[in-house]
Amino acid sequence: MSDYQHEVDELERTSATAARLFDVRRIIGGLFVVYGVLVTIAGLTASDADLEKAENININLWTGLGMLALGVFFLGWLYLRPTPPPPPAEPAQAADTTPGPDPDRDTPTP
Amino acid sequence: MQQLAEELRLSINWLDYSILAIYFVVVLGIGYAARRSVRTSLDFFLSGRSLPAWVTGLAFVAANLGATEILGMAANGAQYGAYTVHWYWIGAIPAMVFLGLVMMPFYYGSKVRSVPEFLLHRFGPSSHLLSSLIFAVSSVLIAGVNLYAMAIVLEALLGWPQWVAIVVAGFFVLGYITLGGLSSAIYNEVLQFFVILAALIPLTVVGLKRVGGWDGLTDSLTGEGRKEGTGGEDFLSAWDGTGIGEANALGANWLTIVLGLGFVLSFGYWTTNFAEVQRALSAKNLSAAKRTPLIAAFPKILIPMVVIVPGLIALVMEPTLGKEGSGLEYNDAIPVLMRDLLPNGVLGIAVTGLLAAFMAGMAANVSSFNTVFTNDIWGAYVKKDRPDAYYLATGRWITAIGVVLGMGTAFIAASFSNIMNYLQTLFSFFNVPLFCVFIIGMFWKRSTGPAGFWGLLSGTVAAMLNYFWLYKQHVIDIPSDQGANFVSAIVAFVVGAVVMVAVTLVTRPKPVEQLAGLVYGTRSPGMSEPPAEGDDAWYRKPALLGWGAVILAALCYLPFSL
């Protein structure tokens, strides 16, 4: 291996992303549930003008329900297949400035 | 301009603005939450090479699905009709599959952190520095052009003054990338991907109903319902009228489409543009890196349905679109549909999606710019061998500087928009010789360092000569800018390849042991990773995904060819 590959290897060992980055499924799920609810309500309370504009399709209702379903899908996926636990800390991390286990590490909660 | 601005103004209410506000909060929240995961420069620039394939794959397609791309491809749909599908099915899918199946083992396996860094190890410093500098400059300029495009659209749709849009979007992008680095850029891209689909799908559904479904659309563009000056008999065919010597709207024939767009232009863009490849390099292992562009290929095949089709619908609803004196340009296709078809609520989602797509497009440029500047220019030639924390801090500073420069470019673009068009064309000529150098360097062990540099330079110069001199001065006759683009790309590739071969024959090759893992048929010692658990599942086989995408793209052509 050449020098730069050793360097990248070393950086990969001390990298914190795998252990500390949150799971994006939670964000997608959360945002789409919120959007889904907002848009569905707009669909349930749609005025005649709204309906007419969208060719008599209650597009807010359908889009809202679709977004809600996508949000629930991501949250369900996260619940059924939680974030895999981070790989065990290697001795190399001892030299790092952050000592010991991380109090605020993401735990794989459902 | 004033009249145009009023014509496109949307009736936005509190609900739409709440949806937009929630999005801005989430964008910054992602940056703030991702901050804890940044400990090393590798975390900041490549997410620690640890993301799952579906995340990097969706980010890969979203990084390309910027708003300029969405509005531009809808505009192409309205202007050229079904020819626009070539940008997707032949102009993207084969290149994405090639990147995943053939090139990714070299990129990811050699542990390079950027596309230019591969050139450094394969060819040496001269081609490395040349491509790094050009990439850095072009990323900042393109980020600026993107910001400016956004400012125009937001002024027309929402009535925001241009400077407000530039400053607000610029600072949000600056904020979330400086905090969370590539991880927050990628997470925001994944989010943007879903929001933009939630905007485009309802738009297409309602639009199709308005024009009487697909049959109504076909009739209005090619049949008896056709209005004078719109559409045409060949308008919904991908290949009719592309025989050599035949005149068509695109100004290109099947040969320049297949070779120029399908082969050189698209392979140049998809396989060597670091803003794309960076997403794959942040994957957690080689299998995930290979699958990144392959997973991205499937949404890419389907995107024409919600981008080109709205362009066609807009043309039926507003037959004066793109005509002199109508006040509406082809680029206004999607904004027109938003204005005419979407009620408040979904309208807010659409505005949010558009804004998200603008910001993600800019963020892709900024997050690749900071990586190349820090690793390939600053760290390689200016301040070498500093501790890692120094490069991490440099990366954060240069992100801020890059965004501010981009904002400056946007303000310049606001006064000299023609110059910006030229610059973009100019930079588009750089990817093609880069691809030429990569492909020869990967498969021909003997090709030498000087050959890489001169191939790169001569190919770029040849493309520019062809476009700005032979085409623009009418020395040769090509009917349109698009057609000239395709021809220039072919010229760049051929000249670059010929120069590379010639220079290689008179210079000394690198010793073979220095090329381990960088050329076809070699492996770096100690680099074979054990396959991760579950990677042998059939639906994760790269070959199956890749060939599946190619076949699906070919099948998509059928209804538009017969």
Side-chain angles (χ1 to χ4, degrees):
Chain A
M1 271 206 262
S2 48
D3 287 348
Y4 80 94
Q5 289 169 334
H6 280 298
E7 194 190 325
V8 172
D9 259 358
E10 185 57 34
L11 288 173
E12 249 180 305
R13 250 193 303 282
T14 50
S15 151
T17 304
R20 299 177 71 173
L21 188 63
F22 59 92
D23 197 311
V24 71
R25 289 176 293 177
R26 193 173 308 164
I27 303 291
I28 303 173
L31 182 71
F32 272 75
V33 165
V34 172
Y35 276 177
V37 169
L38 281 178
V39 177
T40 305
I41 292 174
L44 293 175
T45 59
S47 66
D48 288 343
D50 284 347
L51 290 175
E52 198 180 340
K53 190 176 183 187
E55 296 292 310
N56 291 321
I57 304 175
N58 195 340
I59 197 68
N60 271 331
L61 184 65
W62 289 109
T63 310
L65 290 176
M67 293 180 88
L68 198 57
L70 186 75
V72 170
F73 165 78
F74 271 102
L75 292 179
W77 181 15
L78 185 66
Y79 179 77
L80 293 173
R81 295 271 173 85
T83 322
E90 292 185 40
Q93 280 195 338
D96 200 82
T97 44
T98 334
D102 236 333
D104 55 354
R105 162 178 294 174
D106 260 345
T107 41
T109 45
Chain B
M1 271 323 267
Q2 194 53 44
Q3 190 204 356
L4 169 74
E6 278 178 9
E7 267 204 73
L8 280 176
R9 187 67 48 83
L10 306 175
S11 53
I12 296 280
N13 70 4
W14 61 270
L15 175 62
D16 303 315
Y17 268 119
S18 313
I19 288 171
L20 190 59
I22 292 172
Y23 193 79
F24 274 114
V25 171
V26 170
V27 162
L28 272 196
I30 287 177
Y32 190 75
R35 197 168 77 107
R36 303 190 307 117
S37 73
V38 179
R39 187 189 285 160
T40 66
S41 67
L42 194 71
D43 289 321
F44 190 75
F45 295 127
L46 283 185
S47 300
R49 293 175 36 119
S50 65
L51 297 179
W54 72 269
V55 172
T56 54
L58 290 181
F60 189 96
V61 70
N64 168 257
L65 197 61
T68 38
E69 158 89 12
I70 295 169
L71 299 181
M73 283 301 160
N76 284 347
Q79 191 172 0
Y80 305 126
Y83 293 151
T84 312
V85 300
H86 295 311
W87 268 277
Y88 292 83
W89 298 333
I90 199 167
I93 304 305
M96 293 164 87
V97 171
F98 186 81
L99 172 67
L101 292 184
V102 181
M103 291 177 78
M104 203 45 76
F106 300 109
Y107 276 142
Y108 192 89
S110 65
K111 293 190 194 265
V112 293
R113 279 160 290 185
S114 71
V115 168
E117 192 180 352
F118 185 89
L119 284 180
L120 173 65
H121 302 303
R122 176 63 186 83
F123 290 111
S126 51
S127 44
H128 175 232
L129 191 57
L130 178 66
S131 77
S132 305
L133 285 174
I134 294 188
F135 181 81
V137 174
S138 69
S139 306
V140 169
L141 289 179
I142 293 173
V145 170
N146 195 56
L147 261 184
Y148 170 60
M150 180 186 74
I152 299 177
V153 172
L154 287 191
E155 188 182 39
L157 297 186
L158 306 180
W160 295 9
Q162 290 188 5
W163 69 270
V164 171
I166 292 175
V167 169
V168 168
F171 277 108
F172 268 89
V173 168
L174 186 154
Y176 74 76
I177 298 189
T178 336
L179 286 169
L182 185 67
S183 303
S184 67
I186 285 184
Y187 274 15
N188 273 307
E189 279 158 10
V190 176
L191 203 56
Q192 171 244 329
F193 173 78
F194 289 109
V195 176
I196 197 78
L197 283 188
L200 291 176
I201 293 171
L203 191 74
T204 312
V205 170
V206 179
L208 273 179
K209 185 156 186 213
R210 165 71 68 96
V211 297
W214 182 254
D215 291 338
L217 186 66
T218 314
D219 184 60
S220 309
L221 290 173
T222 64
E224 289 176 0
R226 185 157 83 88
K227 289 206 177 60
E228 190 60 33
T230 60
E233 272 178 35
D234 295 340
F235 205 66
L236 293 180
S237 162
W239 295 108
D240 279 354
T242 62
I244 294 174
E246 281 184 76
N248 63 48
L250 195 56
N253 56 54
W254 63 269
L255 189 69
T256 53
I257 290 172
V258 172
L259 278 184
L261 175 65
F263 181 57
V264 284
L265 267 184
S266 92
F267 276 66
Y269 174 82
W270 290 101
T271 66
T272 66
N273 179 3
F274 182 54
E276 291 294 333
V277 176
Q278 185 178 26
R279 273 78 202 141
L281 292 185
S282 67
K284 64 182 173 185
N285 56 33
L286 178 59
S287 164
K290 285 166 91 169
R291 274 181 281 134
T292 297
L294 306 179
I295 290 173
F298 288 92
K300 185 76 185 169
I301 294 174
L302 301 177
I303 283 171
M305 291 204 300
V306 291
V307 174
I308 302 179
V309 173
L312 299 172
I313 294 169
L315 187 63
V316 173
M317 285 171 52
E318 296 276 350
T320 56
L321 197 71
K323 304 283 184 298
E324 295 267 332
S326 70
L328 290 174
E329 299 170 26
Y330 285 119
N331 264 328
D332 297 328
I334 284 187
V336 162
L337 296 193
M338 285 166 61
R339 179 195 66 187
D340 290 350
L341 299 175
L342 297 184
N344 295 113
V346 181
L347 186 61
I349 300 285
V351 170
T352 305
L354 212 50
L355 204 66
F358 272 119
M359 294 199 328
M362 181 188 179
N365 285 313
V366 170
S367 60
S368 53
F369 161 77
N370 64 20
T371 307
V372 166
F373 188 89
T374 308
N375 286 326
D376 294 297
I377 298 175
W378 197 254
Y381 298 101
V382 184
K383 301 271 186 198
K384 291 187 200 178
D385 300 324
R386 298 293 178 97
D388 187 62
Y390 171 82
Y391 295 116
L392 174 57
T394 308
R396 289 205 152 109
W397 277 108
I398 203 65
T399 304
I401 294 170
V403 171
V404 171
L405 287 177
M407 284 156 64
T409 312
F411 283 113
I412 297 172
S415 17
F416 305 100
S417 56
N418 283 333
I419 296 180
M420 288 300 150
N421 284 338
Y422 268 122
L423 278 179
Q424 274 193 304
T425 315
L426 215 141
F427 284 120
S428 74
F429 292 143
F430 191 70
N431 276 333
V432 171
L434 195 58
F435 167 65
C436 169
V437 167
F438 265 93
I439 203 72
I440 293 181
M442 278 179 180
F443 287 95
W444 192 28
K445 242 182 283 190
R446 197 184 176 305
S447 56
T448 64
F453 176 77
W454 291 108
L456 212 51
L457 198 61
S458 63
T460 312
V461 171
M464 289 179 192
L465 281 181
N466 184 66
Y467 188 85
F468 290 107
W469 182 48
L470 293 180
Y471 164 64
K472 285 284 182 193
Q473 307 297 321
H474 306 290
V475 179
I476 51 170
D477 188 35
I478 306 173
S480 75
D481 283 2
Q482 296 292 355
N485 245 331
F486 298 170
V487 174
S488 303
I490 299 174
V491 169
F493 188 86
V494 172
V495 170
V498 168
V499 168
M500 256 191 101
V501 172
V503 175
T504 293
L505 293 177
V506 297
T507 46
R508 188 186 296 274
K510 275 184 113 175
V512 174
E513 53 272 21
Q514 286 183 20
L515 297 178
L518 300 170
V519 295
Y520 193 75
T522 63
R523 287 179 81 84
S524 271
M527 208 132 68
S528 47
E529 298 173 48
E533 199 183 334
D535 276 356
D536 48 359
W538 65 268
Y539 55 88
R540 292 202 175 109
K541 292 256 187 278
L544 180 80
L545 287 170
W547 288 109
V550 170
I551 292 169
L552 187 58
L555 288 178
C556 283
Y557 263 116
L558 285 182
F560 296 95
S561 306
L562 300 175

